[in-house]
Amino acid sequence: QVQLQGSGPGLVNPSPTFSLTCTVSGASISTGYYAWSLIRQLPGKGLEWMGTIVSDGSRNYSPSFASRTSLAQDTSKNQFSLQLGSVTPEDTAEYYCAGINIGSKWLLMARYDYWGQGTQVTVYS
């Protein structure tokens, strides 16, 4: 059973960056069978794909976030992580870690096989 656990800062000031880490259990992020994504949901809005990282370290970012987002992976800890820059109160959202079969369409939320519980990040002014 694959499980994802997100951890993040909770409450943050507007700041240059914040980081969110996803810990995966039940599957190795280095095997290449799955791709791993960060997805967020703003209050009252739908799910928004931010980016995906795969086992060889290659990354794909949403154009909406590409200029201020960085994904990384730590295979020794079976974790992947997001750094989001130029953070403002408009980045207040529930952030989700998610896993999808490598051959599926990463932009389709319904195709995701595994979801973390969501990590609420509130940026206050």
Side-chain angles (χ1 to χ4, degrees):
Q1 179 74 13
V2 178
Q3 294 183 324
L4 295 95
Q5 177 73 45
S7 59
L11 288 174
V12 296
N13 283 316
S15 64
T17 62
F18 81 78
S19 297
L20 190 146
T21 298
C22 302
T23 301
V24 179
S25 60
S28 171
I29 65 170
S30 59
T31 59
Y33 189 76
Y34 293 107
W36 308 99
S37 298
L38 262 297
I39 295 164
R40 76 178 189 179
Q41 187 169 30
L42 275 65
K45 303 293 186 181
L47 295 168
E48 186 177 26
W49 175 72
M50 301 180 71
T52 297
I53 187 168
V54 296
S55 60
D56 64 0
S58 59
R59 304 159 182 86
N60 286 273
Y61 297 108
S62 165
S64 299
F65 297 99
S67 64
R68 62 188 186 105
T69 301
S70 178
L71 290 172
Q73 61 182 5
D74 185 338
T75 56
S76 68
K77 296 180 180 179
N78 217 38
Q79 294 175 335
F80 61 103
S81 61
L82 165 78
Q83 277 201 324
L84 182 65
S86 303
V87 176
T88 72
E90 286 66 42
D91 293 307
T92 293
E94 190 88 6
Y95 287 78
Y96 293 94
C97 313
I100 189 170
N101 184 286
I102 192 73
S104 295
K105 296 184 184 297
W106 305 338
L107 299 183
L108 299 180
M109 302 298 106
R111 296 292 180 92
Y112 277 83
D113 300 285
Y114 304 104
W115 292 84
Q117 83 285 4
T119 300
Q120 176 65 38
V121 177
T122 301
V123 185
Y124 56 92
S125 56

